[in-house]
Amino acid sequence: MGHGHPLFSIEGRVALVTGSSRGIGRALAQGLLEAGCTVVLNGRDAAALERTRLELTEVAEAAGAGGTVLAEAFDVTVPAAVVDGIARVEDRAGPIDILVNNTGAQHRAPLAEFADDDWYRLLDTNLTSAFLVGREVARRMMPRGHGKIVNVCSLQSEVVRPGIAPYAATKGGLKMLTKGMCADLGPSGIQVNALGPGYFRTELTSALVADEEFSSWVRGRTPAGRWGEVEDLVGALVFLSSAASDFVNGQILYVDGGMTSVL
């Protein structure tokens, strides 16, 4: 700590990361923890959250740096659960400085065969959750006059492949929610931005990574020539969570190895 430019310091801040028991959410939580934040993990599975909390505590202790990690289980798609959950988070950890809306799900099927229930599940998980949690946290940030909200969008907020139209619709909606939140919350000193991950190697994409034809397509289509590793997202998150981004608002920072820039 303390060796970088002070604009990027987030030491001592309180951060809530939704959907953080595994995958990208876990990596983002670990990055904030290592930067000295008090990090609150969130998901629906209390046992999985506690396992991740213990693992991240060990990582932070082994590194000899970092903040504290807590866990608070609640369903981010249920309005009353969100109100109660955010109150518990602030009671335990203090006022939330940084919110990372990471909760997400994917379901692949041709449009004509996509089930109603799967459409509504993706809409609730990927978009409604960010609205509900963002609204509740913003209500608390506004009187304080500062705060950072980072929504986890996607490469598919811009482009799409066959079989994921509903997913892309939710992530495109999240992009516009980010811009709308910026418009409403900017006057209160709150910055709302988004990360747009490209193709990343996670538990959820393991089948795609293992599919050599698809994996080869990803490598060939990406100027960086590889899949993203979850650690690739941490620097961008620290930037969007810190004073370095105080005049950056309503932006989507694509962390995709250049994929959205080339044909």
Side-chain angles (χ1 to χ4, degrees), residues 55-90:
E55 290 166 4
L56 292 184
T57 298
E58 287 181 10
V59 167
E61 289 173 351
T68 305
V69 58
L70 306 172
E72 192 63 61
F74 59 92
D75 188 335
V76 292
T77 69
V78 177
V82 168
V83 172
D84 292 345
I86 298 302
R88 290 197 306 272
V89 168
E90 293 211 337

PDB file of all heavy atoms in Angstrom, residues 55-90:
ATOM      1  N   GLU A  55     -11.688 -18.149   2.333  1.00  0.00           N
ATOM      2  CA  GLU A  55     -10.593 -18.224   1.353  1.00  0.00           C
ATOM      3  C   GLU A  55      -9.958 -16.860   1.135  1.00  0.00           C
ATOM      4  O   GLU A  55      -8.727 -16.724   1.104  1.00  0.00           O
ATOM      5  CB  GLU A  55     -11.112 -18.777   0.019  1.00  0.00           C
ATOM      6  CG  GLU A  55     -11.488 -20.251   0.055  1.00  0.00           C
ATOM      7  CD  GLU A  55     -12.306 -20.660  -1.172  1.00  0.00           C
ATOM      8  OE1 GLU A  55     -12.507 -19.807  -2.067  1.00  0.00           O
ATOM      9  OE2 GLU A  55     -12.741 -21.822  -1.226  1.00  0.00           O
ATOM     10  N   LEU A  56     -10.785 -15.825   0.955  1.00  0.00           N
ATOM     11  CA  LEU A  56     -10.254 -14.492   0.696  1.00  0.00           C
ATOM     12  C   LEU A  56      -9.556 -13.917   1.922  1.00  0.00           C
ATOM     13  O   LEU A  56      -8.572 -13.173   1.782  1.00  0.00           O
ATOM     14  CB  LEU A  56     -11.376 -13.550   0.224  1.00  0.00           C
ATOM     15  CG  LEU A  56     -11.970 -13.853  -1.144  1.00  0.00           C
ATOM     16  CD1 LEU A  56     -12.990 -12.785  -1.533  1.00  0.00           C
ATOM     17  CD2 LEU A  56     -10.898 -13.955  -2.219  1.00  0.00           C
ATOM     18  N   THR A  57     -10.043 -14.256   3.106  1.00  0.00           N
ATOM     19  CA  THR A  57      -9.372 -13.816   4.330  1.00  0.00           C
ATOM     20  C   THR A  57      -7.963 -14.387   4.385  1.00  0.00           C
ATOM     21  O   THR A  57      -6.996 -13.686   4.724  1.00  0.00           O
ATOM     22  CB  THR A  57     -10.170 -14.243   5.572  1.00  0.00           C
ATOM     23  OG1 THR A  57     -11.456 -13.623   5.533  1.00  0.00           O
ATOM     24  CG2 THR A  57      -9.461 -13.836   6.855  1.00  0.00           C
ATOM     25  N   GLU A  58      -7.831 -15.663   4.012  1.00  0.00           N
ATOM     26  CA  GLU A  58      -6.507 -16.304   3.989  1.00  0.00           C
ATOM     27  C   GLU A  58      -5.595 -15.641   2.966  1.00  0.00           C
ATOM     28  O   GLU A  58      -4.413 -15.409   3.228  1.00  0.00           O
ATOM     29  CB  GLU A  58      -6.648 -17.804   3.677  1.00  0.00           C
ATOM     30  CG  GLU A  58      -7.202 -18.626   4.820  1.00  0.00           C
ATOM     31  CD  GLU A  58      -7.299 -20.099   4.460  1.00  0.00           C
ATOM     32  OE1 GLU A  58      -6.756 -20.488   3.397  1.00  0.00           O
ATOM     33  OE2 GLU A  58      -7.915 -20.862   5.226  1.00  0.00           O
ATOM     34  N   VAL A  59      -6.158 -15.325   1.796  1.00  0.00           N
ATOM     35  CA  VAL A  59      -5.367 -14.670   0.742  1.00  0.00           C
ATOM     36  C   VAL A  59      -4.845 -13.331   1.231  1.00  0.00           C
ATOM     37  O   VAL A  59      -3.669 -12.991   1.048  1.00  0.00           O
ATOM     38  CB  VAL A  59      -6.226 -14.482  -0.531  1.00  0.00           C
ATOM     39  CG1 VAL A  59      -5.549 -13.538  -1.516  1.00  0.00           C
ATOM     40  CG2 VAL A  59      -6.503 -15.824  -1.195  1.00  0.00           C
ATOM     41  N   ALA A  60      -5.724 -12.555   1.862  1.00  0.00           N
ATOM     42  CA  ALA A  60      -5.332 -11.224   2.342  1.00  0.00           C
ATOM     43  C   ALA A  60      -4.272 -11.324   3.432  1.00  0.00           C
ATOM     44  O   ALA A  60      -3.296 -10.559   3.443  1.00  0.00           O
ATOM     45  CB  ALA A  60      -6.553 -10.473   2.865  1.00  0.00           C
ATOM     46  N   GLU A  61      -4.449 -12.304   4.327  1.00  0.00           N
ATOM     47  CA  GLU A  61      -3.471 -12.470   5.414  1.00  0.00           C
ATOM     48  C   GLU A  61      -2.120 -12.925   4.877  1.00  0.00           C
ATOM     49  O   GLU A  61      -1.068 -12.469   5.317  1.00  0.00           O
ATOM     50  CB  GLU A  61      -4.007 -13.464   6.446  1.00  0.00           C
ATOM     51  CG  GLU A  61      -5.163 -12.901   7.260  1.00  0.00           C
ATOM     52  CD  GLU A  61      -5.803 -13.934   8.174  1.00  0.00           C
ATOM     53  OE1 GLU A  61      -5.446 -15.133   8.042  1.00  0.00           O
ATOM     54  OE2 GLU A  61      -6.654 -13.563   8.995  1.00  0.00           O
ATOM     55  N   ALA A  62      -2.144 -13.822   3.883  1.00  0.00           N
ATOM     56  CA  ALA A  62      -0.899 -14.323   3.303  1.00  0.00           C
ATOM     57  C   ALA A  62      -0.139 -13.211   2.589  1.00  0.00           C
ATOM     58  O   ALA A  62       1.095 -13.188   2.583  1.00  0.00           O
ATOM     59  CB  ALA A  62      -1.191 -15.468   2.331  1.00  0.00           C
ATOM     60  N   ALA A  63      -0.903 -12.284   1.987  1.00  0.00           N
ATOM     61  CA  ALA A  63      -0.279 -11.171   1.263  1.00  0.00           C
ATOM     62  C   ALA A  63       0.248 -10.111   2.223  1.00  0.00           C
ATOM     63  O   ALA A  63       1.021  -9.233   1.828  1.00  0.00           O
ATOM     64  CB  ALA A  63      -1.271 -10.547   0.290  1.00  0.00           C
ATOM     65  N   GLY A  64      -0.194 -10.186   3.475  1.00  0.00           N
ATOM     66  CA  GLY A  64       0.256  -9.217   4.467  1.00  0.00           C
ATOM     67  C   GLY A  64      -0.308  -7.829   4.236  1.00  0.00           C
ATOM     68  O   GLY A  64       0.226  -6.838   4.725  1.00  0.00           O
ATOM     69  N   ALA A  65      -1.380  -7.754   3.469  1.00  0.00           N
ATOM     70  CA  ALA A  65      -2.012  -6.460   3.179  1.00  0.00           C
ATOM     71  C   ALA A  65      -3.488  -6.697   2.940  1.00  0.00           C
ATOM     72  O   ALA A  65      -3.958  -7.823   2.920  1.00  0.00           O
ATOM     73  CB  ALA A  65      -1.372  -5.812   1.964  1.00  0.00           C
ATOM     74  N   GLY A  66      -4.202  -5.617   2.748  1.00  0.00           N
ATOM     75  CA  GLY A  66      -5.612  -5.765   2.421  1.00  0.00           C
ATOM     76  C   GLY A  66      -6.510  -5.433   3.583  1.00  0.00           C
ATOM     77  O   GLY A  66      -6.071  -5.177   4.701  1.00  0.00           O
ATOM     78  N   GLY A  67      -7.805  -5.463   3.291  1.00  0.00           N
ATOM     79  CA  GLY A  67      -8.802  -5.076   4.270  1.00  0.00           C
ATOM     80  C   GLY A  67      -9.482  -6.278   4.888  1.00  0.00           C
ATOM     81  O   GLY A  67      -8.924  -7.362   4.979  1.00  0.00           O
ATOM     82  N   THR A  68     -10.726  -6.055   5.282  1.00  0.00           N
ATOM     83  CA  THR A  68     -11.541  -7.073   5.945  1.00  0.00           C
ATOM     84  C   THR A  68     -12.595  -7.566   4.967  1.00  0.00           C
ATOM     85  O   THR A  68     -13.076  -6.807   4.126  1.00  0.00           O
ATOM     86  CB  THR A  68     -12.248  -6.446   7.168  1.00  0.00           C
ATOM     87  OG1 THR A  68     -11.254  -5.853   8.001  1.00  0.00           O
ATOM     88  CG2 THR A  68     -13.032  -7.478   7.961  1.00  0.00           C
ATOM     89  N   VAL A  69     -12.973  -8.834   5.099  1.00  0.00           N
ATOM     90  CA  VAL A  69     -14.023  -9.367   4.223  1.00  0.00           C
ATOM     91  C   VAL A  69     -15.168  -9.934   5.068  1.00  0.00           C
ATOM     92  O   VAL A  69     -14.953 -10.682   6.009  1.00  0.00           O
ATOM     93  CB  VAL A  69     -13.466 -10.420   3.237  1.00  0.00           C
ATOM     94  CG1 VAL A  69     -12.799 -11.577   3.954  1.00  0.00           C
ATOM     95  CG2 VAL A  69     -14.556 -10.928   2.300  1.00  0.00           C
ATOM     96  N   LEU A  70     -16.385  -9.504   4.716  1.00  0.00           N
ATOM     97  CA  LEU A  70     -17.607  -9.962   5.373  1.00  0.00           C
ATOM     98  C   LEU A  70     -18.497 -10.617   4.325  1.00  0.00           C
ATOM     99  O   LEU A  70     -18.247 -10.487   3.116  1.00  0.00           O
ATOM    100  CB  LEU A  70     -18.352  -8.783   5.997  1.00  0.00           C
ATOM    101  CG  LEU A  70     -17.571  -7.893   6.967  1.00  0.00           C
ATOM    102  CD1 LEU A  70     -18.394  -6.662   7.325  1.00  0.00           C
ATOM    103  CD2 LEU A  70     -17.192  -8.669   8.213  1.00  0.00           C
ATOM    104  N   ALA A  71     -19.541 -11.299   4.777  1.00  0.00           N
ATOM    105  CA  ALA A  71     -20.491 -11.909   3.846  1.00  0.00           C
ATOM    106  C   ALA A  71     -21.907 -11.596   4.301  1.00  0.00           C
ATOM    107  O   ALA A  71     -22.207 -11.638   5.493  1.00  0.00           O
ATOM    108  CB  ALA A  71     -20.288 -13.419   3.782  1.00  0.00           C
ATOM    109  N   GLU A  72     -22.766 -11.262   3.339  1.00  0.00           N
ATOM    110  CA  GLU A  72     -24.171 -10.968   3.649  1.00  0.00           C
ATOM    111  C   GLU A  72     -25.031 -11.581   2.552  1.00  0.00           C
ATOM    112  O   GLU A  72     -25.038 -11.118   1.412  1.00  0.00           O
ATOM    113  CB  GLU A  72     -24.386  -9.462   3.724  1.00  0.00           C
ATOM    114  CG  GLU A  72     -25.717  -9.059   4.319  1.00  0.00           C
ATOM    115  CD  GLU A  72     -25.884  -9.495   5.780  1.00  0.00           C
ATOM    116  OE1 GLU A  72     -25.096  -9.062   6.638  1.00  0.00           O
ATOM    117  OE2 GLU A  72     -26.815 -10.285   6.029  1.00  0.00           O
ATOM    118  N   ALA A  73     -25.757 -12.649   2.900  1.00  0.00           N
ATOM    119  CA  ALA A  73     -26.581 -13.348   1.924  1.00  0.00           C
ATOM    120  C   ALA A  73     -27.968 -12.704   1.826  1.00  0.00           C
ATOM    121  O   ALA A  73     -28.641 -12.519   2.837  1.00  0.00           O
ATOM    122  CB  ALA A  73     -26.722 -14.821   2.302  1.00  0.00           C
ATOM    123  N   PHE A  74     -28.350 -12.317   0.604  1.00  0.00           N
ATOM    124  CA  PHE A  74     -29.736 -11.914   0.333  1.00  0.00           C
ATOM    125  C   PHE A  74     -29.968 -11.963  -1.170  1.00  0.00           C
ATOM    126  O   PHE A  74     -29.024 -11.948  -1.960  1.00  0.00           O
ATOM    127  CB  PHE A  74     -30.076 -10.534   0.908  1.00  0.00           C
ATOM    128  CG  PHE A  74     -29.231  -9.384   0.407  1.00  0.00           C
ATOM    129  CD1 PHE A  74     -29.624  -8.640  -0.694  1.00  0.00           C
ATOM    130  CD2 PHE A  74     -28.064  -9.025   1.063  1.00  0.00           C
ATOM    131  CE1 PHE A  74     -28.853  -7.566  -1.139  1.00  0.00           C
ATOM    132  CE2 PHE A  74     -27.296  -7.950   0.628  1.00  0.00           C
ATOM    133  CZ  PHE A  74     -27.689  -7.221  -0.474  1.00  0.00           C
ATOM    134  N   ASP A  75     -31.239 -12.069  -1.550  1.00  0.00           N
ATOM    135  CA  ASP A  75     -31.620 -12.218  -2.957  1.00  0.00           C
ATOM    136  C   ASP A  75     -31.768 -10.839  -3.582  1.00  0.00           C
ATOM    137  O   ASP A  75     -32.696 -10.089  -3.255  1.00  0.00           O
ATOM    138  CB  ASP A  75     -32.929 -13.003  -3.057  1.00  0.00           C
ATOM    139  CG  ASP A  75     -33.292 -13.378  -4.490  1.00  0.00           C
ATOM    140  OD1 ASP A  75     -32.852 -12.682  -5.426  1.00  0.00           O
ATOM    141  OD2 ASP A  75     -34.030 -14.368  -4.667  1.00  0.00           O
ATOM    142  N   VAL A  76     -30.864 -10.499  -4.512  1.00  0.00           N
ATOM    143  CA  VAL A  76     -30.838  -9.155  -5.099  1.00  0.00           C
ATOM    144  C   VAL A  76     -31.967  -8.919  -6.103  1.00  0.00           C
ATOM    145  O   VAL A  76     -32.104  -7.817  -6.632  1.00  0.00           O
ATOM    146  CB  VAL A  76     -29.481  -8.862  -5.771  1.00  0.00           C
ATOM    147  CG1 VAL A  76     -28.383  -8.755  -4.722  1.00  0.00           C
ATOM    148  CG2 VAL A  76     -29.139  -9.911  -6.832  1.00  0.00           C
ATOM    149  N   THR A  77     -32.794  -9.928  -6.348  1.00  0.00           N
ATOM    150  CA  THR A  77     -33.922  -9.750  -7.270  1.00  0.00           C
ATOM    151  C   THR A  77     -35.240  -9.489  -6.540  1.00  0.00           C
ATOM    152  O   THR A  77     -36.279  -9.311  -7.181  1.00  0.00           O
ATOM    153  CB  THR A  77     -34.101 -10.982  -8.186  1.00  0.00           C
ATOM    154  OG1 THR A  77     -34.549 -12.099  -7.404  1.00  0.00           O
ATOM    155  CG2 THR A  77     -32.808 -11.347  -8.880  1.00  0.00           C
ATOM    156  N   VAL A  78     -35.205  -9.455  -5.198  1.00  0.00           N
ATOM    157  CA  VAL A  78     -36.419  -9.271  -4.395  1.00  0.00           C
ATOM    158  C   VAL A  78     -36.336  -7.918  -3.683  1.00  0.00           C
ATOM    159  O   VAL A  78     -35.462  -7.717  -2.833  1.00  0.00           O
ATOM    160  CB  VAL A  78     -36.582 -10.405  -3.368  1.00  0.00           C
ATOM    161  CG1 VAL A  78     -37.798 -10.167  -2.492  1.00  0.00           C
ATOM    162  CG2 VAL A  78     -36.677 -11.758  -4.073  1.00  0.00           C
ATOM    163  N   PRO A  79     -37.226  -6.973  -4.017  1.00  0.00           N
ATOM    164  CA  PRO A  79     -37.107  -5.612  -3.471  1.00  0.00           C
ATOM    165  C   PRO A  79     -36.974  -5.547  -1.958  1.00  0.00           C
ATOM    166  O   PRO A  79     -36.091  -4.855  -1.435  1.00  0.00           O
ATOM    167  CB  PRO A  79     -38.393  -4.931  -3.960  1.00  0.00           C
ATOM    168  CG  PRO A  79     -38.739  -5.646  -5.232  1.00  0.00           C
ATOM    169  CD  PRO A  79     -38.339  -7.074  -5.007  1.00  0.00           C
ATOM    170  N   ALA A  80     -37.842  -6.243  -1.209  1.00  0.00           N
ATOM    171  CA  ALA A  80     -37.790  -6.168   0.251  1.00  0.00           C
ATOM    172  C   ALA A  80     -36.488  -6.755   0.792  1.00  0.00           C
ATOM    173  O   ALA A  80     -35.913  -6.243   1.761  1.00  0.00           O
ATOM    174  CB  ALA A  80     -38.983  -6.899   0.859  1.00  0.00           C
ATOM    175  N   ALA A  81     -36.003  -7.827   0.154  1.00  0.00           N
ATOM    176  CA  ALA A  81     -34.749  -8.447   0.589  1.00  0.00           C
ATOM    177  C   ALA A  81     -33.576  -7.503   0.372  1.00  0.00           C
ATOM    178  O   ALA A  81     -32.632  -7.465   1.174  1.00  0.00           O
ATOM    179  CB  ALA A  81     -34.519  -9.756  -0.165  1.00  0.00           C
ATOM    180  N   VAL A  82     -33.630  -6.724  -0.710  1.00  0.00           N
ATOM    181  CA  VAL A  82     -32.563  -5.763  -1.003  1.00  0.00           C
ATOM    182  C   VAL A  82     -32.547  -4.653   0.052  1.00  0.00           C
ATOM    183  O   VAL A  82     -31.487  -4.295   0.590  1.00  0.00           O
ATOM    184  CB  VAL A  82     -32.726  -5.176  -2.418  1.00  0.00           C
ATOM    185  CG1 VAL A  82     -31.807  -3.974  -2.628  1.00  0.00           C
ATOM    186  CG2 VAL A  82     -32.449  -6.251  -3.463  1.00  0.00           C
ATOM    187  N   VAL A  83     -33.708  -4.107   0.369  1.00  0.00           N
ATOM    188  CA  VAL A  83     -33.790  -3.037   1.373  1.00  0.00           C
ATOM    189  C   VAL A  83     -33.226  -3.520   2.711  1.00  0.00           C
ATOM    190  O   VAL A  83     -32.387  -2.844   3.338  1.00  0.00           O
ATOM    191  CB  VAL A  83     -35.241  -2.542   1.533  1.00  0.00           C
ATOM    192  CG1 VAL A  83     -35.353  -1.579   2.712  1.00  0.00           C
ATOM    193  CG2 VAL A  83     -35.708  -1.860   0.249  1.00  0.00           C
ATOM    194  N   ASP A  84     -33.662  -4.700   3.144  1.00  0.00           N
ATOM    195  CA  ASP A  84     -33.190  -5.251   4.418  1.00  0.00           C
ATOM    196  C   ASP A  84     -31.705  -5.584   4.359  1.00  0.00           C
ATOM    197  O   ASP A  84     -30.951  -5.340   5.310  1.00  0.00           O
ATOM    198  CB  ASP A  84     -33.981  -6.511   4.794  1.00  0.00           C
ATOM    199  CG  ASP A  84     -35.430  -6.196   5.139  1.00  0.00           C
ATOM    200  OD1 ASP A  84     -35.746  -5.011   5.365  1.00  0.00           O
ATOM    201  OD2 ASP A  84     -36.244  -7.142   5.174  1.00  0.00           O
ATOM    202  N   GLY A  85     -31.275  -6.164   3.234  1.00  0.00           N
ATOM    203  CA  GLY A  85     -29.880  -6.589   3.087  1.00  0.00           C
ATOM    204  C   GLY A  85     -28.909  -5.426   3.104  1.00  0.00           C
ATOM    205  O   GLY A  85     -27.861  -5.493   3.765  1.00  0.00           O
ATOM    206  N   ILE A  86     -29.244  -4.355   2.398  1.00  0.00           N
ATOM    207  CA  ILE A  86     -28.362  -3.181   2.369  1.00  0.00           C
ATOM    208  C   ILE A  86     -28.280  -2.548   3.760  1.00  0.00           C
ATOM    209  O   ILE A  86     -27.213  -2.097   4.193  1.00  0.00           O
ATOM    210  CB  ILE A  86     -28.843  -2.148   1.322  1.00  0.00           C
ATOM    211  CG1 ILE A  86     -28.805  -2.739  -0.090  1.00  0.00           C
ATOM    212  CG2 ILE A  86     -28.000  -0.871   1.391  1.00  0.00           C
ATOM    213  CD1 ILE A  86     -27.454  -3.228  -0.533  1.00  0.00           C
ATOM    214  N   ALA A  87     -29.395  -2.534   4.476  1.00  0.00           N
ATOM    215  CA  ALA A  87     -29.385  -2.010   5.855  1.00  0.00           C
ATOM    216  C   ALA A  87     -28.448  -2.831   6.733  1.00  0.00           C
ATOM    217  O   ALA A  87     -27.670  -2.272   7.530  1.00  0.00           O
ATOM    218  CB  ALA A  87     -30.804  -2.013   6.425  1.00  0.00           C
ATOM    219  N   ARG A  88     -28.484  -4.162   6.582  1.00  0.00           N
ATOM    220  CA  ARG A  88     -27.594  -5.023   7.378  1.00  0.00           C
ATOM    221  C   ARG A  88     -26.139  -4.778   7.007  1.00  0.00           C
ATOM    222  O   ARG A  88     -25.270  -4.731   7.885  1.00  0.00           O
ATOM    223  CB  ARG A  88     -27.952  -6.501   7.171  1.00  0.00           C
ATOM    224  CG  ARG A  88     -29.275  -6.913   7.774  1.00  0.00           C
ATOM    225  CD  ARG A  88     -29.381  -8.431   7.918  1.00  0.00           C
ATOM    226  NE  ARG A  88     -29.144  -9.149   6.670  1.00  0.00           N
ATOM    227  CZ  ARG A  88     -30.104  -9.421   5.771  1.00  0.00           C
ATOM    228  NH1 ARG A  88     -31.358  -9.031   5.995  1.00  0.00           N
ATOM    229  NH2 ARG A  88     -29.818 -10.085   4.669  1.00  0.00           N
ATOM    230  N   VAL A  89     -25.866  -4.621   5.714  1.00  0.00           N
ATOM    231  CA  VAL A  89     -24.494  -4.367   5.268  1.00  0.00           C
ATOM    232  C   VAL A  89     -23.945  -3.103   5.922  1.00  0.00           C
ATOM    233  O   VAL A  89     -22.828  -3.092   6.467  1.00  0.00           O
ATOM    234  CB  VAL A  89     -24.418  -4.241   3.729  1.00  0.00           C
ATOM    235  CG1 VAL A  89     -23.052  -3.693   3.284  1.00  0.00           C
ATOM    236  CG2 VAL A  89     -24.684  -5.591   3.060  1.00  0.00           C
ATOM    237  N   GLU A  90     -24.729  -2.018   5.887  1.00  0.00           N
ATOM    238  CA  GLU A  90     -24.235  -0.756   6.447  1.00  0.00           C
ATOM    239  C   GLU A  90     -24.174  -0.795   7.973  1.00  0.00           C
ATOM    240  O   GLU A  90     -23.295  -0.163   8.566  1.00  0.00           O
ATOM    241  CB  GLU A  90     -25.074   0.418   5.938  1.00  0.00           C
ATOM    242  CG  GLU A  90     -24.887   0.650   4.439  1.00  0.00           C
ATOM    243  CD  GLU A  90     -25.039   2.102   4.029  1.00  0.00           C
ATOM    244  OE1 GLU A  90     -25.690   2.878   4.762  1.00  0.00           O
ATOM    245  OE2 GLU A  90     -24.513   2.464   2.951  1.00  0.00           O
TER     246      GLU A  90
END
